[in-house]
Amino acid sequence: MKIVVCAKQVPDTETKVRIGSDGKTIETSDVNYILNPYDEYAVEEALQIKEKQGSGEVTVLSLGPERVTSAIRTVLAMGADNAIHIKTNDTYLDSYAVSTALSEVLREMEYDLILMGKQAVDDDNVQMGPRIAALLAIPCVSVVTRLEINDGHLVAEREVEGGVEIVEASFPAIITCQKGLNEPRYASLKGIMMAKKKPVEQKTVEIAGAKLSTLKMEYPPARKEGKIVGEGAEAVPELVKLLHEEAKVI
Amino acid sequence: MKTYNAVDYFDLNSLLSEEERMVRNAVRQFVTNEVMPIIAECYEKGEFPMHLIPRFGELDLLGANLPEKYGCAGLNNVAYGLVNQELERGDSGIRSFASVQGALVMYPIFSYGSEEQKDYWLPKLATGEKIGCFGLTEPDAGSDPGSMLTRAVEDGNSYILNGSKMWITNGTIADVAVVWAKLDGEVRGFLVERGIKGYSAPEIKRKYSLRASVTSELIFDDVKIPKVNILPKSRGLKSPLSCLSQARYGIAWGAIGAAQACYDEALNYTLERKQFGKPIASFQITQGKLVKILTEISKAQLMTLQLGRLKDKGVCKYTHISLVKRNNVEMALETARTVRNMLGANGITAEYQAMRHLCNLESVYTYEGTHDIHTLIVGSDITGFPAFK
């Protein structure tokens, strides 16, 4: 089975975000970049499918500037076979532009399954899977927590409000991965040493103009300082009273 | 738990290759996720976390600078050093396990063993399926290993081993011991397997240091070992000493990890802890301590990276390793002590790391060549007068 994992490089979730001097973008000078955590589930699932079937190929597809190489190497170190890097300059691209560019490259590729995280943790747009599926006219199952590969079709469990939905789809298909799908592996040291020797194909594609533009970024309002009501059991009545009258949560 | 921020004030990160950075980050993440949540409890109970051994194997942390041919990762020495740094940021006992397995068991088998010994043992030791220990020190032969009493005598197709070894990390849990003994007056290496008649390895209990690490005595009472179990290429004291150079090199890096852990803890604590209405980090005495620690860590980091580069070029001398082991462990010990003090009463509890590192580093200061012996090794090199002879 040929599997493509779409992987995005995002700022480390521990990054203290600072708004840049233009007021519209994030200051990137001291940002540490990592592989999007939801994409780790996609990589792990792809590797598990390949291992279970005993054959196949896992290709990582990533779009972004030069720095994206380190996210690609991470995926290769985990065990993917090869990579395609669509090079762009460092400007922000909206979901429309990215999905168009990825689809253009995917159209020229052979694949049975496309896996990716359900969302990227930087812009949280949650659009990439469905958008690419629409452009390629293939099925997309999003927010998947369990995936079973059968002859000619897949069965996926997805989280829905208050329960689980079980979906069947034919290949090729797109799956967007949710936490709980699997436990992503660490890159082993041998994997890291081998990653350098794996092929990374560089591609350039015409990037469509963005359909969205950011007007302004603002910090969330500062949180009000908390209040300590007292200590021990004797403080409980006062706490209950304040939760009822002041905070109005009970 | 607070995110770990490994101090790198002089951006040594930029001097590392992409693979070196990835190796460091992988081990750092492993330590954060799998060592930090359990290590304080292991330490208190005086137990080594045995369940981590297969995980070390899966991540290729054991003997990581040995060739891929034997199932190892084939790292260069800088990347190998970074592995040690990250493991000891967790605990000196965790790093000790990996040091012993890699530098003191796999390395001598790799360097002095036969092809059969290498093919049999190295892949199993790399995965953690088999555990090893290294027996050189004796109750009455520590800094002066040449005075060892353990003897091997030829007896037909066997050697008969008699004697004892002391302060042996992993001894009780080891499947194989690399034991150094005199055969016709010459120090040679022998592989002694667990379960063989006359060999026992009782654990040394009641320690105040390296509590999350197994320390043992090895006793050989007419142990009959097959002749094929001698390390054929081992010759004289320089063989075990070459292994110690490998291990000391790892310790030099490991000590930095322990110091980084303590510095990170001190910085976080002093920024949050308020007295007299402001964070204690705002007081001049606190800042003085932080800056002193930062300076010492930065100096050690620069020197140690250069040590690794020299080792990768094959021009590193054992005296270079002695100087850096000596410096870094003392630096880490002083750092841990200062940080323990900066944390006030909290610093004596298991909620914080400083005291655990402090107690561990007392052992690291003494083992693998004491601080004073390293002074004399370097002193002998620069003056030509060996003070220990």
Side-chain angles (χ1 to χ4, degrees), chain A residues 14 40 69-71 73-75 77 186-197, chain B residues 3 18-19 22-23 26 29-30 33-34 55 58-61 71-75 83:
Chain A
E14 306 293 347
E40 288 183 19
T69 319
S70 76
R73 291 282 172 218
T74 304
V75 181
Y186 298 96
S188 71
L189 303 193
K190 273 184 232 165
I192 291 169
M193 298 309 282
M194 274 191 309
K196 190 171 55 173
K197 296 168 197 146
Chain B
T3 315
E18 191 183 4
E19 288 84 52
M22 285 173 78
V23 165
Q29 195 188 0
F30 167 73
N33 295 343
E34 300 193 29
R55 300 288 290 134
E58 283 162 35
L59 291 174
D60 310 313
L61 303 182
C72 304
L75 300 188
V83 171

Side-chain angles (χ1 to χ4, degrees), chain A residues 182-209:
Chain A
N182 53 47
E183 195 58 51
R185 68 193 65 189
Y186 298 96
S188 71
L189 303 193
K190 273 184 232 165
I192 291 169
M193 298 309 282
M194 274 191 309
K196 190 171 55 173
K197 296 168 197 146
K198 291 179 177 174
V200 180
E201 190 188 338
Q202 309 276 355
K203 283 212 166 168
T204 35
V205 297
E206 190 81 22
I207 304 288

Side-chain angles (χ1 to χ4, degrees), chain B residues 28-300:
Chain B
R28 184 173 292 170
Q29 195 188 0
F30 167 73
V31 169
T32 297
N33 295 343
E34 300 193 29
V35 176
M36 299 315 287
I38 57 150
I39 193 63
E41 196 182 333
C42 290
Y43 195 87
E44 270 191 278
K45 286 186 176 164
E47 284 172 3
F48 179 77
M50 295 293 287
H51 70 279
L52 288 182
I53 297 173
R55 300 288 290 134
F56 296 154
E58 283 162 35
L59 291 174
D60 310 313
L61 303 182
L62 304 172
N65 57 346
L66 296 177
E68 293 160 46
K69 183 181 165 196
Y70 298 109
C72 304
L75 300 188
N76 70 10
N77 285 293
V78 169
Y80 170 76
L82 290 163
V83 171
N84 284 274
Q85 172 187 294
E86 295 307 318
L87 290 177
E88 194 145 2
R89 169 242 162 170
D91 190 87
S92 301
I94 302 290
R95 199 268 309 135
S96 294
F97 179 91
S99 276
V100 167
Q101 182 92 343
L104 297 181
V105 179
M106 296 171 73
Y107 178 82
I109 293 174
F110 171 72
S111 299
Y112 305 114
S114 64
E115 273 312 311
E116 293 74 31
Q117 288 168 338
K118 288 191 235 187
D119 288 340
Y120 179 78
W121 286 107
L122 294 179
K124 292 183 179 66
L125 291 161
T127 59
E129 179 193 335
K130 298 281 184 190
I131 300 167
C133 70
F134 176 91
L136 175 66
T137 297
E138 298 185 357
D140 296 317
S143 294
D144 178 17
S147 66
M148 69 170 65
L149 297 173
T150 302
R151 293 281 185 281
V153 181
E154 213 171 323
D155 178 37
N157 271 336
S158 310
Y159 295 108
I160 308 288
L161 205 58
N162 275 293
S164 67
K165 298 289 176 182
M166 197 65 176
W167 313 119
I168 309 305
T169 299
N170 296 350
T172 311
I173 58 172
D175 300 290
V176 62
V178 174
V179 177
W180 302 91
K182 281 186 181 165
L183 175 68
D184 300 325
E186 186 184 36
V187 173
R188 304 292 302 270
F190 300 86
L191 300 177
V192 181
E193 292 184 54
R194 188 220 284 272
I196 198 165
K197 194 169 166 244
Y199 168 48
S200 60
E203 187 170 355
I204 300 169
K205 287 286 193 182
R206 307 190 73 201
K207 293 178 294 178
Y208 290 139
S209 177
L210 290 180
R211 290 185 52 74
S213 172
V214 176
T215 311
S216 316
E217 189 181 353
L218 309 183
I219 301 163
F220 310 99
D221 182 11
D222 280 334
V223 179
K224 194 170 177 178
I225 55 171
K227 265 199 170 157
V228 292
N229 279 18
I230 193 167
L231 294 176
K233 288 181 258 175
S234 64
R235 284 275 183 268
L237 202 55
K238 65 180 187 300
S239 299
L241 293 184
S242 76
C243 305
L244 291 179
S245 274
Q246 299 299 313
R248 290 163 181 171
Y249 171 77
I251 293 170
W253 282 91
I256 293 174
Q260 284 175 305
C262 292
Y263 173 80
D264 184 50
E265 184 161 86
L267 189 59
N268 286 331
Y269 183 86
T270 57
L271 284 170
E272 271 177 18
R273 169 84 173 169
K274 285 185 183 151
Q275 288 293 284
F276 306 101
K278 49 186 180 177
I280 60 173
S282 62
F283 295 111
Q284 292 183 4
I285 289 182
T286 305
Q287 291 185 4
K289 288 173 184 169
L290 287 170
V291 171
K292 169 81 173 145
I293 294 170
L294 176 64
T295 307
E296 290 305 319
I297 293 176
S298 301
K299 282 151 70 177

Side-chain angles (χ1 to χ4, degrees), chain A residues 117-137:
Chain A
K118 72 170 171 114
Q119 70 192 86
V121 298
D122 53 354
D123 56 24
D124 283 331
N125 280 332
V126 206
Q127 296 185 16
M128 208 44 58
R131 272 185 176 273
I132 295 175
L135 289 166
L136 298 176

Side-chain angles (χ1 to χ4, degrees), chain B residues 304-324:
Chain B
T304 310
L305 180 60
Q306 173 64 359
L307 179 74
R309 295 290 179 226
L310 291 180
K311 197 164 189 301
D312 278 327
K313 280 187 207 148
V315 294
C316 165
K317 295 194 292 180
Y318 70 94
T319 53
H320 289 137
I321 297 175
S322 282
L323 190 149
V324 183

